[in-house]
Amino acid sequence: MCTVTFLPTADGVVLTSNRDEQQKRQRALPPEIHPTKRGSILFPKDPDKGGTWIAATATGDAAVLLNGAFRPHTPDRRYTRSRGAVIPMLLAEPGAAAAFQQNNWDDTEPFTLILYQDKRLFECRWDGQWKTVTELDGSRSWIWSSATLYPKETMRRREQWFQKWQSEQATLDWHAVLRFHEEAGDGDRGNDLVMNRNGELLTVSITSVLLGNDDTRMRHRDLLAQQQFLQVLPRDGRRNGNSVAEWIGRFRIRLRHWEYWPFTVVYFPIFFYWFFLCLKARSFFFFNTANPTIRNGGFLMESKKEIYDLLPRGTYPATVLVQPGSANAEDVVQETRRSGISFPLIVKPDIGLRGMGVQKLFSETELVRYHRSACVDYLVQALIPYQREIGVFYYRYPGAASGVVTGLVEKELLTLRGNGRETITQLLQQEPRYRLQLPQLRRKLGPQLSEVLAPGEERVLVPFGNHSRGAKFIDVSDRIDPELTASIDRICREVPGFYFGRLDIRYESWEQLRAGRRFAIVELNGAGSEPAHIYDPRHSLLFAWKEICRHLRILFEISRRNKAMQRLPYLTTREGLRLLRDNARYVKKIG
């Protein structure tokens, strides 16, 4: 809030602020669009008081605040109102300059407000006793420095830097202004535009507003975190990207890619084949005998923790089961520590469904927050260090000497590569598969989507290999060979009562996985598993139907043999219908 420039350019008016603050103060939240009674306002937020030092509106108005008026002042107990509340309050009024004059500022420390409204530029000052409003020439450039930090001589030097810089520029544009705010100075670290006084008081961010003809753009650079954000506010005030056109775009993507169609649409023809198998089995719920040691055969409502307990020791990450009704948040934190699970870690419902409720947490605070909002039993799990992930579909007929791997699917996580110009949202919009995730990512990441990634920087936005969460599935079944099959078969034969399902595995390298080393099982899924390699975009819907039917035929045969050999009963119709009702209630509960 301590150095501000105003500059008319060919692209529009540019207002830029270098914010000098105590190093210990909390970092500001990135710019977001906030609704008011007069329309939308775009600004970064100070988490301490909830206010801001710079903001712009959908109508092309903007305001920037500096601490102090004409000269340094003495803090006083009567100053109870935060200066961060000044701009949101004034921009919510039809005439901000008039509202400044009419308002009583006796409870507010002295400040200088630079206001651009209706294409007119105003300098509004409150010195603790008097209010002054001066209209300035909006066709020329201006620079201001905070009276609380910089003496008159330093202010004059900064004006000289600004004038000299302008005379040396072939083109004055938004990016050039940002470079001035980053680089201007004469080597005096205490008074350069990006200043640092003994690491205690320093420039923490640079925020710039471009008031263009079609929209308002705000670029925010967090100098401490080395992050950059860009937010766009259209002239009509709508939130960028929440338009009907975007919804239509997502609908067209789904229409062209069957793998994103609703489950009931894709599986509708399969229901007839399922009904045929049910008639042969004389049961609609024959699947429960496929994997006798897994609840319901692993078709629905199975416990992940119970399955982990069946796996060979050392093949899955450290896992803690949490029952929210019988454990408080502090107990969960302590148990996590005792289990040797460090942050970041993974939390997920014990009874899962297509990645719902799965999160990556980075601190005890986040874990406590997750626990307090949890309504079902969940797992706290160590983060697997391996980056590659693959799904392996496996089956073994009861009594057979060995099993078979029928499909391999690699999982390409939702990952972006930055270019230093475009925001995360803009990068997401370039990939059809990622565009489908935008509504969920907005709810999850919020203002983080306005961050501009550095050139070459890679960012994994969703660290889970779920197709419904944006992961791309790639069929690599051609890599199935005897060595891999033997390694997977050896693992699966150590799982009591497991005959049919898919293992989701993270591994270090392909060679290590083939040898059965340096891997960890993310999950083992039973009778409800899909042959996930069908979701490779290269495959047709007809291919998917054939693969689903092939695996259902195998599931039926395994269930039939287990029933006969182990004298296991199928679920009764009443039990099966209860299972479906329980699952529906559970989905509604965690959804």
Side-chain angles (χ1 to χ4, degrees):
M1 302 186 292
C2 300
T3 306
V4 173
T5 62
F6 173 90
L7 187 68
T9 71
D11 298 324
V13 167
V14 177
L15 265 170
T16 308
S17 169
N18 280 28
R19 188 183 190 215
D20 305 336
E21 281 292 352
Q22 298 289 335
Q23 195 275 340
K24 62 184 179 181
R25 188 159 182 167
Q26 286 193 70
R27 290 169 46 207
L29 302 176
E32 277 200 275
I33 299 171
H34 304 268
T36 72
K37 60 184 180 183
R38 291 195 62 247
S40 298
I41 299 179
L42 173 63
F43 61 85
K45 183 182 287 188
D46 180 354
D48 287 334
K49 299 293 180 61
T52 190
W53 66 98
I54 184 169
T57 71
T59 56
D61 298 339
V64 188
L65 186 140
L66 298 93
N67 288 344
F70 300 102
R71 61 188 62 84
H73 62 273
T74 303
D76 194 298
R77 288 183 178 179
R78 66 189 174 99
Y79 299 141
T80 56
R81 177 162 51 183
S82 168
R83 284 173 292 200
V86 171
I87 289 179
M89 180 176 64
L90 292 180
L91 288 184
E93 299 297 330
F100 169 80
Q101 284 278 37
Q102 295 165 7
N103 208 287
N104 185 329
W105 303 107
D106 287 344
D107 59 353
T108 309
E109 280 196 68
F111 62 85
T112 299
L113 180 72
I114 310 304
L115 175 64
Y116 186 74
Q117 186 174 46
D118 299 328
K119 301 188 183 302
R120 299 168 66 189
L121 181 64
F122 298 93
E123 179 189 83
C124 308
R125 295 184 189 260
W126 160 247
D127 67 359
Q129 289 186 309
W130 306 99
K131 293 173 286 191
T132 61
V133 177
T134 306
E135 184 168 358
L136 304 178
D137 182 358
S139 65
R140 52 154 290 194
S141 62
W142 297 85
I143 184 169
W144 296 265
S145 297
S146 174
T148 59
L149 286 179
Y150 302 102
K152 295 292 185 182
E153 176 56 32
T154 300
M155 293 183 184
R156 283 191 291 270
R157 284 162 51 202
R158 288 170 159 224
E159 290 171 2
Q160 292 169 1
W161 300 340
F162 194 38
Q163 296 305 319
K164 183 175 183 294
W165 169 80
Q166 290 179 72
S167 67
E168 295 172 347
Q169 301 303 305
T171 303
L172 292 174
D173 59 22
W174 195 18
H175 295 286
V177 176
L178 285 166
R179 285 196 300 272
F180 171 76
H181 275 259
E182 288 180 335
E183 301 170 1
D186 57 9
D188 178 0
R189 295 192 66 199
N191 292 293
D192 289 343
L193 257 65
V194 175
M195 56 89 86
N196 188 328
R197 297 180 181 176
N198 301 318
E200 297 179 359
L201 178 66
L202 68 165
T203 305
V204 296
S205 64
I206 301 173
T207 309
S208 186
V209 175
L210 172 62
L211 304 171
N213 293 324
D214 300 322
D215 55 36
T216 294
R217 295 173 178 256
M218 182 174 288
R219 192 177 291 271
H220 177 77
R221 293 185 179 176
D222 186 326
L223 300 180
L224 299 184
Q226 292 296 302
Q227 290 178 300
Q228 183 176 187
F229 300 86
L230 174 66
Q231 188 65 269
V232 180
L233 176 60
R235 273 288 173 266
D236 60 8
R238 292 178 305 171
R239 287 181 178 267
N240 193 39
N242 278 357
S243 63
V244 174
E246 187 183 79
W247 182 90
I248 294 174
R250 292 197 300 270
F251 176 77
R252 287 175 175 170
I253 292 169
R254 287 193 175 92
L255 199 60
R256 292 194 298 268
H257 298 83
W258 70 264
E259 64 267 29
Y260 297 114
W261 292 1
F263 176 87
T264 51
V265 175
V266 172
Y267 272 78
F268 179 75
I270 305 299
F271 292 148
F272 296 99
Y273 185 64
W274 174 264
F275 185 70
F276 168 71
L277 295 177
C278 291
L279 290 178
K280 290 185 67 176
R282 298 182 180 180
S283 170
F284 287 107
F285 305 101
F286 60 81
F287 47 76
N288 69 295
T289 61
N291 301 303
T293 57
I294 300 176
R295 191 190 307 178
N296 305 315
F299 192 82
L300 287 175
M301 298 297 289
E302 69 274 20
S303 163
K304 295 181 187 296
K305 183 61 168 63
E306 290 176 2
I307 294 175
Y308 285 129
D309 290 342
L310 295 173
L311 299 179
R313 188 177 299 275
T315 61
Y316 62 95
T319 303
V320 172
L321 173 66
V322 178
Q323 298 171 308
S326 59
N328 59 44
E330 291 70 25
D331 292 337
V332 175
V333 171
Q334 291 300 323
E335 183 60 28
T336 300
R337 291 174 182 168
R338 281 194 295 268
S339 300
I341 301 175
S342 59
F343 291 92
L345 50 76
I346 298 295
V347 289
K348 55 187 176 183
D350 182 41
I351 299 174
L353 184 70
R354 293 177 174 263
M356 295 174 67
V358 183
Q359 291 188 30
K360 183 179 181 180
L361 305 184
F362 293 86
S363 67
E364 291 183 358
T365 301
E366 291 184 355
L367 178 57
V368 169
R369 188 183 302 123
Y370 185 93
H371 177 80
R372 289 174 177 167
S373 64
C375 57
V376 297
D377 294 354
Y378 68 91
L379 305 178
V380 178
Q381 195 169 70
L383 187 67
I384 298 172
Y386 310 128
Q387 298 304 308
R388 297 179 176 88
E389 183 167 340
I390 197 165
V392 181
F393 209 103
Y394 168 90
Y395 77 89
R396 178 171 60 89
Y397 286 121
S402 60
V404 179
V405 174
T406 63
L408 294 178
V409 58
E410 279 191 345
K411 300 179 179 183
E412 186 180 284
L413 304 183
L414 202 164
T415 305
L416 298 178
R417 180 184 290 271
N419 56 25
R421 300 185 309 276
E422 294 172 298
T423 66
I424 290 176
T425 295
Q426 291 169 328
L427 294 173
L428 287 168
Q429 289 171 335
Q430 296 170 18
E431 166 58 52
R433 178 166 48 95
Y434 293 170
R435 286 170 62 188
L436 297 177
Q437 301 301 316
L438 268 170
Q440 292 82 3
L441 290 173
R442 286 195 183 103
R443 289 193 292 270
K444 174 67 178 173
L445 301 178
Q448 294 180 43
L449 293 182
S450 65
E451 184 178 353
V452 177
L453 301 183
E457 178 185 353
E458 287 197 350
R459 178 77 59 85
V460 178
L461 294 189
V462 182
F464 317 117
N466 297 99
H467 188 259
S468 61
R469 299 282 293 272
K472 182 179 181 179
F473 283 14
I474 304 169
D475 186 357
V476 291
S477 300
D478 58 323
R479 301 173 78 175
I480 299 172
D481 61 20
E483 185 177 359
L484 175 71
T485 299
S487 294
I488 297 300
D489 186 54
R490 186 166 55 252
I491 297 166
C492 293
R493 288 178 67 85
E494 291 187 49
V495 182
F498 175 65
Y499 296 93
F500 179 95
R502 190 186 70 246
L503 294 84
D504 294 328
I505 298 174
R506 287 211 166 190
Y507 62 99
E508 185 176 82
S509 70
W510 182 250
E511 291 71 25
Q512 296 274 22
L513 178 62
R514 289 177 69 226
R517 297 191 298 267
R518 307 290 293 173
F519 73 91
I521 298 173
V522 180
E523 285 185 2
L524 184 149
N525 302 280
S529 302
E530 290 181 291
H533 57 279
I534 66 174
Y535 291 110
D536 187 318
R538 297 171 298 179
H539 290 320
S540 68
L541 183 55
L542 181 60
F543 172 87
W545 285 340
K546 289 180 179 179
E547 282 293 278
I548 293 170
C549 288
R550 179 166 76 100
H551 286 79
L552 285 179
R553 190 162 55 248
I554 295 169
L555 173 65
F556 165 78
E557 185 61 27
I558 291 174
S559 299
R560 186 188 67 80
R561 292 190 188 186
N562 274 334
K563 179 179 185 296
M565 295 170 65
Q566 301 185 43
R567 300 184 182 277
L568 299 173
Y570 293 145
L571 288 177
T572 66
T573 301
R574 176 178 293 181
E575 292 169 334
L577 292 176
R578 185 188 309 122
L579 172 65
L580 295 178
R581 287 194 298 270
D582 290 346
N583 184 71
R585 284 194 292 266
Y586 185 81
V587 171
K588 186 176 181 180
K589 190 174 184 179
I590 69 172

